[in-house]
Amino acid sequence: MTIQELNQIQQEYAPLVEVRREIARQEEKVTPFQQYRKQVLVCGGTGCTSSGSKKVIEALEKSLEAHGLSDEIKVVKTGCFGLCALGPIMIVYPEGAFYSQMTPDHVERIVVEHLLHDDVVTEYLYSETVHEDGSILSLNETNFYKKQMRIVLRNCGVIDPEKIEEYIATGGYQALAKVLTTMSPDDVITEMLESGLRGRGGGGFPTGRKWAFAKASESEDKYVCCNADEGDPGAFMDRSILEGDPHSVIEAMAIAGYTIGAHQGYVYIRAEYPIAVERLQIAIDQAREKGLLGEHIFGTDFSFDLEIRLGAGAFVCGEETALMTSIEGHRGEPRPRPPFPAVKGLFGKPTVLNNVETYANVAQIILKGAKWFSSIGTERSKGTKVFALGGKIHNVGLVEVPMGTTLREIVEEIGGGVPNGKKFKAAQTGGPSGGCIPAEYIDTPIDYDNLLSIGSMMGSGGMIILDEDTCMVDISKFYLEFTVDESCGKCTPCRIGTRQLLEYLDKITKGKGTLEDLEKIKELANHMKTSSLCALGQTAANPVLSTMKYFMDEYREHIVDRHCEAGVCKAMVFYEIDPSLCKGCTLCARNCPVGAISGEVRSAHVIDREKCVKCGVCLDSCRFGAIIKH
């Protein structure tokens, strides 16, 4: 493909895609693709797919055909829109009507009333997009979207990720063309350094410096790798990017290859992400077909190609040296550093490794410039950050905000607050390597340095919201259970240390802990931090240490009072029946799975604590509030 052919595709397909942009709809400067009267975008990401979006698309296409609308209405299966809790999601353009929680039963009415007769079905719209007078508001005006700034997610929910022409329509591969025809490798490195882009996979190492080190390393063969192994509990940022905009990663990896002098790249992605794997492979095949991967790209001397390598779900393979070891065909275990991958990486050759989100920023930096990117964010943390927002929050989903956005803005405004009138207690960031941010720091601007200063870390971007019903000791135990399972076992501090930490926490949650155990935990954590081979073991104690720092009263309560205020640790919980409220309906007794409740009809019942397994079924089944949980 030549640059002229690239520009021709962009011009041809731009009207088709731009009508889906909210700003285009508002300004009314762009008309739909001449062939189509309306476009219906349906989320095809993992979240909405699991909620049934595939059946919604099938019902939609069947109904359109039945009403003779197939040639007038274009159906597009996109990536994630972000509001995962509202899936399956459907948006109709040019109106921008945002239909949420769609089912196949809703489709016929939308086709007849909206697509056929231009009468929007407001009953099915996301409530925040409907004005009091019945008019439709832009998605950008909703609380979830208006404080976001989408750079990485700019095409997710907008383009069909399985059609390269739609990516090109948004300016795709123009950055690669610019780099190959007008910039030297040193020019690219300078741009990356001046942009301030830091790795989005956890440590936050400056991307430009990493590329500079690899370029400076002398070798006939060099490699570019992408870490798409994303294994943190509750994290789904990288997966969603690959599902919704895979070409942004391919283009960036080619730019990285040109910069360091590499001609081969590998994307390491876990096999549990079948949609992402499929779309990435389709994108690679299409890029090869168009001559955007392979020999002499854009007629230059630069050649570069990509291959996918599937991981088997080992969390430790998210560590860069373990990942490369796995690509080489060996058991995924970390290697000592130095030498670092930029000097000796994949197959012993200089290698650049970045994660999906980091690469997704690159093309935009090249096209819009380092000054533009560095104007976003804070002094030491530039650009935006994508977070997978989950846990006790109304708007579960994917968000992208400028660095420096406060936790309060994310939780209360974008996230919609904590459900059921509960109080915000903490936010867990950084996954098993991170920590908990207590409510007292809710106004903390989120960036790399601020999170480290309060005992947490950015990590890859998982953000789990915890409410007042959460036991912080139990949360620590949850993450330790995860790291115990995922430790590769190569080094003793991690293999044995994580298990010993878990034994201490298990002892505390069972009401058998001692105050001396707390000191032993701190001592063991320090040894693990200084002696473990890789970051998995070095940071495994972080969730424990951060909760001990901010919620020590809960640890002491578990140890001294043998009580769990949140009622989560079953060994410290018991149920009883208030005889003044019990009506003797026998419903609790009939539902108890172990026969621990007895009593006559219309008489107060009692619970046998020896038999009770503390399952809580009686509490859920009682209609009179007579069951009390202590």
Side-chain angles (χ1 to χ4, degrees):
M1 173 181 284
T2 65
I3 294 178
Q4 290 74 19
E5 290 171 331
L6 183 75
N7 292 337
Q8 184 177 349
I9 293 174
Q10 182 179 356
Q11 292 171 7
E12 180 182 355
Y13 281 85
L16 177 72
V17 174
E18 286 306 316
V19 75
R20 305 170 196 165
R21 303 279 187 187
E22 289 298 314
I23 189 169
R25 183 175 68 83
Q26 292 168 22
E27 295 179 357
E28 298 181 353
K29 290 183 179 179
V30 181
T31 57
F33 210 53
Q34 185 177 5
Q35 180 181 351
Y36 302 106
R37 183 166 56 83
K38 295 184 189 296
Q39 298 186 48
V40 182
L41 277 61
V42 183
C43 176
T46 294
C48 284
T49 299
S50 64
S51 299
S53 65
K54 185 176 180 181
K55 292 182 179 179
V56 170
I57 293 173
E58 291 172 353
L60 178 61
E61 291 175 338
K62 183 177 180 180
S63 181
L64 289 173
E65 183 178 358
H67 291 281
L69 296 174
S70 297
D71 294 333
E72 296 181 41
I73 311 296
K74 181 174 178 61
V75 179
V76 182
K77 183 169 67 174
T78 72
C80 179
F81 289 99
L83 269 169
C84 303
L86 296 179
I89 289 171
M90 175 193 296
I91 302 183
V92 179
Y93 288 109
E95 297 91 329
F98 185 102
Y99 293 110
S100 61
Q101 297 180 323
M102 287 289 93
T103 70
D105 294 337
H106 293 144
V107 169
E108 181 68 14
R109 184 178 171 189
I110 290 175
V111 169
V112 173
E113 296 184 22
H114 187 172
L115 302 183
L116 190 59
H117 296 114
D118 289 318
D119 186 11
V120 176
V121 186
T122 55
E123 180 182 335
Y124 296 159
L125 293 177
Y126 175 41
S127 58
E128 281 197 32
T129 63
V130 183
H131 196 270
E132 292 179 357
D133 62 7
S135 60
I136 302 174
L137 297 176
S138 162
L139 280 181
N140 291 337
E141 297 177 70
T142 64
N143 290 329
F144 182 77
Y145 287 103
K146 65 185 178 183
K147 284 210 169 182
Q148 291 193 50
M149 183 177 185
R150 295 196 153 205
I151 297 174
V152 170
L153 301 178
R154 63 192 178 277
N155 290 329
C156 292
V158 175
I159 67 171
D160 183 340
E162 297 183 14
K163 288 186 169 55
I164 191 172
E165 294 83 4
E166 296 207 357
Y167 177 70
I168 293 174
T170 68
Y173 290 104
Q174 292 288 353
L176 179 59
K178 178 180 177 180
V179 163
L180 295 185
T181 58
T182 68
M183 300 176 72
S184 69
D186 286 335
D187 291 336
V188 178
I189 288 174
T190 298
E191 201 74 9
M192 300 308 296
L193 287 171
E194 292 181 354
S195 74
L197 176 65
R198 296 172 62 175
R200 300 305 199 237
F205 191 81
T207 303
R209 287 177 60 192
K210 181 181 287 189
W211 290 16
F213 291 149
K215 177 182 178 297
S217 296
E218 296 290 337
S219 178
E220 187 175 331
D221 296 314
K222 296 182 181 181
Y223 297 98
V224 173
C225 292
C226 176
N227 183 351
D229 190 59
E230 189 175 55
D232 290 5
F236 50 93
M237 302 76 60
D238 291 352
R239 183 194 73 200
S240 297
I241 294 166
L242 288 175
E243 289 176 354
D245 194 17
H247 286 283
S248 66
V249 176
I250 295 171
E251 182 177 14
M253 292 182 70
I255 292 171
Y258 168 76
T259 304
I260 72 166
H263 301 288
Q264 179 65 46
Y266 294 93
V267 180
Y268 188 86
I269 180 171
R270 51 182 50 210
E272 294 97 326
Y273 288 174
I275 296 176
V277 172
E278 179 183 7
R279 290 183 184 164
L280 180 60
Q281 188 61 62
I282 290 172
I284 290 173
D285 293 341
Q286 290 176 342
R288 284 198 191 114
E289 183 181 346
K290 296 288 186 184
L292 298 169
L293 286 177
E295 300 293 322
H296 304 295
I297 299 173
F298 288 121
T300 67
D301 293 333
F302 176 64
S303 300
F304 185 80
D305 208 350
L306 281 178
E307 293 182 24
I308 295 174
R309 287 291 184 268
L310 298 181
F315 180 67
V316 74
C317 286
E319 194 275 336
E320 59 182 5
T321 62
L323 182 152
M324 293 176 195
T325 302
S326 182
I327 291 178
E328 293 168 354
H330 306 297
R331 178 186 173 92
E333 293 180 333
R335 302 192 286 245
R337 299 178 305 171
F340 291 95
V343 176
K344 186 178 180 181
L346 185 64
F347 303 117
K349 304 297 182 179
T351 303
V352 154
L353 172 68
N354 291 113
N355 84 322
V356 170
E357 185 183 344
T358 308
Y359 282 125
N361 280 288
V362 170
Q364 291 298 292
I365 292 173
I366 296 297
L367 290 177
K368 296 184 178 181
K371 289 184 179 179
W372 163 77
F373 189 81
S374 63
S375 69
I376 305 164
T378 63
E379 183 178 354
R380 289 172 51 82
S381 298
K382 304 298 185 181
T384 60
K385 183 70 188 78
V386 180
F387 290 101
L389 195 58
K392 304 297 182 66
I393 193 78
H394 273 289
N395 296 331
V396 173
L398 206 62
V399 305
E400 183 176 1
V401 294
M403 293 281 194
T405 301
T406 66
L407 182 58
R408 184 186 297 276
E409 290 175 291
I410 296 174
V411 173
E412 296 182 358
E413 298 181 39
I414 297 173
V418 179
N420 305 317
K422 299 291 184 178
K423 293 180 181 179
F424 169 76
K425 186 172 186 177
Q428 205 284 338
T429 65
S433 300
C436 292
I437 307 170
E440 63 191 271
Y441 290 111
I442 194 170
D443 291 309
T444 299
I446 302 298
D447 67 14
Y448 291 101
D449 300 320
N450 284 339
L451 290 185
L452 287 174
S453 69
I454 58 177
S456 188
M457 66 181 295
M458 187 79 71
S460 57
M463 182 178 286
I464 310 299
I465 306 304
L466 312 173
D467 69 7
E468 59 189 280
D469 291 337
T470 304
C471 171
M472 304 310 291
V473 185
D474 182 69
I475 282 292
S476 300
K477 181 180 172 182
F478 166 79
Y479 282 107
L480 252 299
E481 288 172 337
F482 180 85
T483 49
V484 165
D485 287 341
E486 296 295 341
S487 173
C488 73
K490 185 173 183 178
C491 71
T492 304
C494 179
R495 182 181 69 250
I496 304 299
T498 54
R499 187 164 294 280
Q500 286 185 330
L501 275 182
L502 180 58
E503 289 174 356
Y504 281 127
L505 290 178
D506 189 56
K507 182 181 174 184
I508 292 172
T509 57
K510 289 181 177 178
K512 299 176 181 179
T514 65
L515 293 176
E516 288 76 17
D517 291 337
L518 300 180
E519 294 304 316
K520 292 177 182 178
I521 287 174
K522 293 178 182 178
E523 182 181 5
L524 178 56
N526 185 60
H527 286 305
M528 291 171 58
K529 183 176 181 179
T530 57
S531 305
S532 294
L533 179 60
C534 79
L536 188 150
Q538 293 165 6
T539 62
N542 283 355
V544 186
L545 295 177
S546 70
T547 53
M548 287 177 64
K549 179 178 180 180
Y550 296 115
F551 301 96
M552 180 58 84
D553 56 329
E554 291 194 30
Y555 280 87
R556 291 184 181 277
E557 181 184 56
H558 280 66
I559 293 171
V560 177
D561 301 330
R562 301 291 192 262
H563 178 62
C564 175
E565 181 65 27
V568 173
C569 301
K570 286 187 176 182
M572 303 178 187
V573 171
F574 69 90
Y575 295 85
E576 67 176 350
I577 298 175
D578 186 339
S580 66
L581 296 176
C582 180
K583 307 299 181 182
C585 69
T586 75
L587 190 60
C588 60
R590 283 181 281 136
N591 282 287
C592 179
V594 293
I597 303 176
S598 60
E600 299 294 327
V601 178
R602 297 190 180 87
S603 298
H605 283 46
V606 294
I607 299 176
D608 186 336
R609 291 189 190 176
E610 295 297 321
K611 289 184 179 181
C612 179
V613 293
K614 305 170 184 178
C615 63
V617 170
C618 56
L619 183 66
D620 296 334
S621 62
C622 182
R623 296 176 294 183
F624 306 103
I627 309 292
I628 302 171
K629 182 180 180 181
H630 296 281

